[in-house]
Each structure stands twice: as structure tokens, then as C-alpha cells.
Amino acid sequence: MYCVQLIVAVENEEVPRLQSLYDRGRENGVADLRLLDSTQLRDIEPHCRGKVAIHSPSTGIVDWGRVTRAYGEDFKEMGGHVYTNFKCPYHQKLPQTTHKLKESQNF
């Protein structure tokens, strides 16, 4: 199944946010992002109307709830326990740090 990834600004006031999203995507290395005008948008999706759009053919839609549940199942298979709706009586905010992984570290 092919899923076209389009993010569309339908109002003029949405265009700056869309431009910012496009710029961040390019900065993060999403190489095939394209900024489309309304005519180019209709060429890809004839039933869609908008001022400007981002076309992102190599990105996908993720169900993060499903991903999290799968991680939990993997963790339980390795002997861990997953607690939901669990009250944490004590927690501590740690100072913010930056830790860069070395290429040799595998997780």
C-alpha cells in the first residue's frame, strides 16, 4: 500500500509554521522533502486544496502507542516488569546533561 505523506497549510497564517517544519526537516536530513505550491499539490492529490504543502515520500506514520506496547512486551520477555497506572511516590529531577553516544556503543 502506498501512503502519500502531505502536510498542508490551508490558511495563509499556517504557511510560516509549515515553512518552519520544512526547514527543520531539511536540517534533520530528510533529503527528499519538497515544498509544493497549490498546483503541484493538486498534481499529487487532486482532491486536496491548500496554499502550500510539504511532500515527504520517505517518511511514515507511526502509532507510538503500539510501538511502546511492543517495547514493553520485549522487556517482559527479557524478564522485566511493566507497571501502568502506578503511582510513583518519590521522584527527583536530575540536572540536564548532554551525553553523546560513540559509534561503537550498541543498544
Side-chain angles (χ1 to χ4, degrees):
M1 184 171 115
Y2 178 68
C3 181
V4 175
Q5 302 296 319
L6 291 170
I7 305 166
V8 182
V10 295
E11 303 290 338
N12 286 330
E13 51 273 358
E14 296 172 330
V15 173
R17 288 193 317 237
L18 189 95
Q19 181 67 51
S20 176
L21 185 61
Y22 172 78
D23 293 341
R24 283 192 317 236
R26 298 293 292 175
E27 289 170 11
N28 286 320
V30 184
D32 58 352
L33 285 182
R34 292 185 340 170
L35 205 54
L36 307 176
D37 63 26
S38 59
T39 302
Q40 294 166 316
L41 171 60
R42 279 193 306 277
D43 288 343
I44 292 174
E45 180 50 65
H47 301 287
C48 186
R49 298 289 182 263
K51 306 290 182 183
V52 185
I54 297 172
H55 181 225
S56 182
S58 69
T59 59
I61 300 169
V62 176
D63 179 346
W64 287 109
R66 189 172 182 181
V67 169
T68 302
R69 287 188 295 278
Y71 282 149
E73 291 302 317
D74 290 346
F75 183 66
K76 288 192 284 187
E77 287 175 12
M78 293 185 285
H81 300 281
V82 175
Y83 299 94
T84 59
N85 298 316
F86 179 78
K87 187 173 183 171
C88 180
Y90 175 78
H91 66 277
Q92 169 184 356
K93 185 174 182 176
L94 298 174
Q96 195 170 21
T97 62
T98 302
H99 176 73
K100 296 190 181 211
L101 296 176
K102 297 176 184 172
E103 284 188 38
S104 62
Q105 289 178 293
N106 294 318
F107 293 97

